[in-house]
Amino acid sequence: DIQMTQSPSTLSASVGDRVTITCRASQSISNWLAWYQQKPGKAPKLLIYKASTLGTGVPSRFSGSGSGTEFTLTISSLQPDDFATYYCHRYDTSPWTFGQGTKVEIK
Amino acid sequence: EVYLVESGGGLVQPGGSLRLSCAASGFTFSNHEVHWVRQVTGRGLEWVSKIGPSGETGYPDSVRGRFTGSRENAKNSAFLQMNSLRVEDTAVYYCVGRRGYGYGIDYWGQGTLVTVSS
């Protein structure tokens, strides 16, 4: 199975900071990658799909890039509502797999 | 608006069985695949099952042979039959869907907690 390695596992940042999260696939997945945001006690919310396409209603400060095996999620200017856990997800073939998650904490 | 509502979670002993249900509304259910994704409390996400529009299924090795996904398109419902449950199956189980092939998971239920414990 194709494995996803997400880093860092925890990130401490301040409001206004530029934040980057990385996800690496063990083999090429083209651009079949999504990013989600999850807050405690809630289901994840889709932010990005096809590596770089913004989900419906997602603020433009979120962006995704990459293809093949290396992908990034960038938050251009961190807002108070953005403190949460973020997951990458590959969906090129079964079985789908997710990254381990990155918790973005207040510095 | 799309809604996915899970039910059927609860406490079960190791080796026992449980059947989860997912009631869908707000989209043409029969045209879309449905998946189950689980999350151990405080941990990451794991894909558990795919149920295609015509009932075709897929599973990861961790549940294959123990879990069975199915659907009733006439009732806009999907199911996950879980047998031979293990302590490590304890998790919140989400019913999820997407707009179509190539999209990420647009739609998530609220989740239902399955606890496997003696």
Side-chain angles (χ1 to χ4, degrees):
Chain A
D1 298 347
I2 301 174
Q3 302 303 314
M4 303 302 294
T5 302
Q6 186 174 340
S7 61
S9 55
T10 307
L11 188 159
S12 296
S14 302
V15 172
D17 284 354
R18 181 181 181 88
V19 165
T20 299
I21 299 169
T22 298
C23 207
R24 289 187 174 87
S26 58
Q27 61 190 75
S28 178
I29 59 170
S30 184
N31 65 342
W32 301 116
L33 186 102
W35 291 95
Y36 304 90
Q37 177 193 68
Q38 187 177 32
K39 295 183 178 179
K42 301 291 188 182
K45 172 191 170 184
L46 179 65
L47 297 175
I48 302 281
Y49 64 95
K50 285 184 187 174
S52 60
T53 303
L54 212 59
T56 303
V58 175
S60 59
R61 62 181 180 272
F62 291 93
S63 65
S65 64
S67 67
T69 61
E70 188 148 341
F71 303 86
T72 57
L73 171 70
T74 300
I75 309 172
S76 60
S77 178
L78 198 65
Q79 298 301 301
D81 191 49
D82 301 338
F83 292 96
T85 300
Y86 294 83
Y87 293 96
C88 63
H89 162 219
R90 56 155 280 268
Y91 55 97
D92 53 314
T93 60
S94 289
W96 288 354
T97 49
F98 294 85
Q100 302 92 326
T102 296
K103 185 175 183 179
V104 177
E105 299 179 328
I106 301 173
K107 191 173 185 178
Chain B
E1 191 168 350
V2 172
Y3 289 100
L4 297 169
V5 180
E6 304 94 338
S7 59
L11 175 64
V12 62
Q13 292 188 337
S17 297
L18 213 54
R19 190 190 196 213
L20 305 183
S21 299
C22 172
S25 60
F27 65 108
T28 308
F29 180 77
S30 58
N31 289 350
H32 293 269
E33 58 192 34
V34 175
H35 298 253
W36 291 91
V37 172
R38 68 184 178 184
Q39 184 171 35
V40 175
T41 302
R43 303 286 294 277
L45 299 161
E46 182 185 15
W47 173 75
V48 168
S49 172
K50 165 195 167 180
I51 310 159
S54 300
E56 60 275 26
T57 55
Y59 312 95
D61 290 344
S62 58
V63 308
R64 187 177 294 117
R66 300 188 299 123
F67 289 12
T68 303
S70 62
R71 62 193 295 160
E72 280 190 55
N73 286 339
K75 295 185 177 180
N76 287 350
S77 295
F79 308 96
L80 185 68
Q81 177 67 41
M82 304 184 295
N83 298 332
S84 302
L85 282 162
R86 305 167 180 169
V87 170
E88 56 264 35
D89 295 319
T90 295
V92 173
Y93 285 72
Y94 294 102
C95 174
V96 305
R98 50 182 185 164
R99 278 178 278 167
Y101 180 81
Y103 292 89
I105 301 172
D106 303 89
Y107 314 124
W108 295 74
Q110 84 286 355
T112 187
L113 177 63
V114 172
T115 303
V116 185
S117 174
S118 55

